[in-house]
Amino acid sequence: MLKILVPVDGSENAKRALAHVIELTQSGLPLQVHLLNVQSPLQSKISLNAIASQATLDAYFHELGDEALAAGLALLNQARVPYQYSVEFGPPAKTIVDEAQKRGCHRIVMGTRGFGLISNLVVGSIAYQVVHLSTLPVTLVQ
Amino acid sequence: MRTVLIPVDGSPQSTMAVATLLRFADYERIGQVCLLNVQPELHPGYRALDAAEIAALTLQQGERALIDGVRLLEEAGIPFQIRIETGAVAPTIARVAEETGAEQIFMGSQGRGAIAAFVLGSVAIKTLSLTSLPITLVR
């Protein structure tokens, strides 16, 4: 069974990456997707803790993660592709690569860039770092 | 027919790109593979060679770069074509992708280039900027 990690942030680019994976199911061969959203609130938490409890913050960031996953989960349900999903916390690229490893994925398929600020870069910094850190093949969908 | 373009330079990484595609071949429903090697464009006068000698040298070096990939594809029984082109690497990859109607590209994340120390090879980055196709990078 082929396991593919698809990190998503709710962007159109991430949706195209997922569509690329769903296409692979047309082979009729078994495939499982792990849909991942990474939240990186670590830096902001330090200041936010002054005004909100840890529990409130955790709930808030989990909510953000669920929002980022929603479109992808809808696509997977519609295409009847078996999946697992999770929201993880940490630096995005490292977390993506670690999760892929931990969950026994065979490859990573992701958008070249998500909701980054600098959209004129060909490859966003997260995709760039994932390619750098990952020993698994990384498919970049534009 | 679904075509996958694999630019190779004979480096272990580019051979890995071929091997990786073969691992996923059944899922990718490949019609054929286009194995491409891009050689620098040499002009008559290079090492005092004439045009015919330059063509022969280009072909020879191209074949050397392609051979490992060819062997893997032959073993796997996947239909493939080979192309040896001259010119700038990334624009040539993008052009051949268009000419062959390739739906995606598999390639090493870095090749033999002078700046192979870069994480993501400059060729891979440039290719991404010149085509809208999905590119699978293999280390």
Side-chain angles (χ1 to χ4, degrees):
Chain A
M1 159 106 73
L2 181 63
K3 279 190 85 172
I4 304 179
L5 185 89
V6 187
V8 294
D9 60 0
S11 68
E12 286 304 314
N13 208 174
K15 268 189 238 170
R16 284 194 291 274
L18 192 58
H20 183 78
V21 170
I22 288 172
E23 245 239 352
L24 296 177
T25 62
Q26 300 200 352
S27 63
L29 297 166
L31 173 155
Q32 192 181 50
V33 170
H34 188 94
L35 203 65
L36 171 71
N37 176 256
V38 182
Q39 293 290 323
S40 313
L42 295 178
Q43 284 179 326
S44 51
K45 260 189 182 176
I46 294 164
S47 51
L48 287 172
N49 267 332
I51 51 167
S53 73
Q54 190 62 48
T56 307
L57 288 173
D58 285 352
Y60 172 67
F61 285 109
H62 265 291
E63 204 170 295
L64 286 186
D66 288 343
E67 273 171 32
L69 289 170
L73 292 174
L75 282 174
L76 289 167
N77 283 328
Q78 199 182 4
R80 299 187 181 172
V81 177
Y83 61 82
Q84 298 179 334
Y85 67 97
S86 62
V87 177
E88 302 290 340
F89 292 79
K94 188 179 180 304
T95 307
I96 290 168
V97 172
D98 288 350
E99 286 298 311
Q101 205 93 48
K102 208 164 82 184
R103 297 177 189 279
C105 294
H106 302 98
R107 60 190 288 193
I108 298 170
V109 179
M110 65 188 292
T112 42
R113 62 187 128 73
F115 288 128
L117 291 173
I118 313 167
S119 56
N120 58 346
L121 288 176
V122 175
V123 181
S125 65
I126 296 176
Y128 189 93
Q129 289 174 58
V130 169
V131 172
H132 171 49
L133 294 171
S134 174
T135 52
L136 298 173
V138 181
T139 301
L140 298 179
V141 177
Q142 311 203 54
Chain B
M1 179 146 64
R2 291 160 67 92
T3 301
V4 180
L5 176 65
I6 314 183
V8 294
D9 60 5
S11 66
Q13 277 196 323
S14 71
T15 308
M16 267 304 289
V18 179
T20 300
L21 177 67
L22 292 175
R23 264 176 62 205
F24 301 138
D26 294 341
Y27 285 91
E28 301 284 357
R29 293 178 298 140
I30 303 165
Q32 66 155 345
V33 169
C34 177
L35 207 58
L36 165 70
N37 176 251
V38 184
Q39 290 290 321
E41 193 169 2
L42 303 176
H43 299 281
Y46 172 77
R47 290 191 192 162
L49 300 175
D50 64 25
E53 287 167 327
I54 281 177
L57 179 68
T58 299
L59 195 63
Q60 185 194 41
Q61 287 180 337
E63 283 172 348
R64 200 176 292 165
L66 291 168
I67 186 68
D68 289 343
V70 166
R71 284 202 181 113
L72 286 177
L73 289 165
E74 273 178 351
E75 269 174 34
I78 302 264
F80 66 96
Q81 54 163 302
I82 56 169
R83 295 270 295 255
I84 298 169
E85 301 280 335
T86 59
V89 182
T92 305
I93 293 171
R95 174 171 59 79
V96 172
E98 205 157 307
E99 285 171 9
T100 55
E103 290 184 8
Q104 54 174 327
I105 299 172
F106 271 61
M107 64 192 290
S109 57
Q110 41 177 256
R112 281 199 190 291
I115 35 179
F118 273 86
V119 173
L120 184 49
S122 61
V123 171
I125 294 254
K126 272 188 207 151
T127 306
L128 274 162
S129 74
L130 295 173
T131 164
S132 57
L133 298 175
I135 300 188
T136 300
L137 295 163
V138 178
R139 194 152 76 169

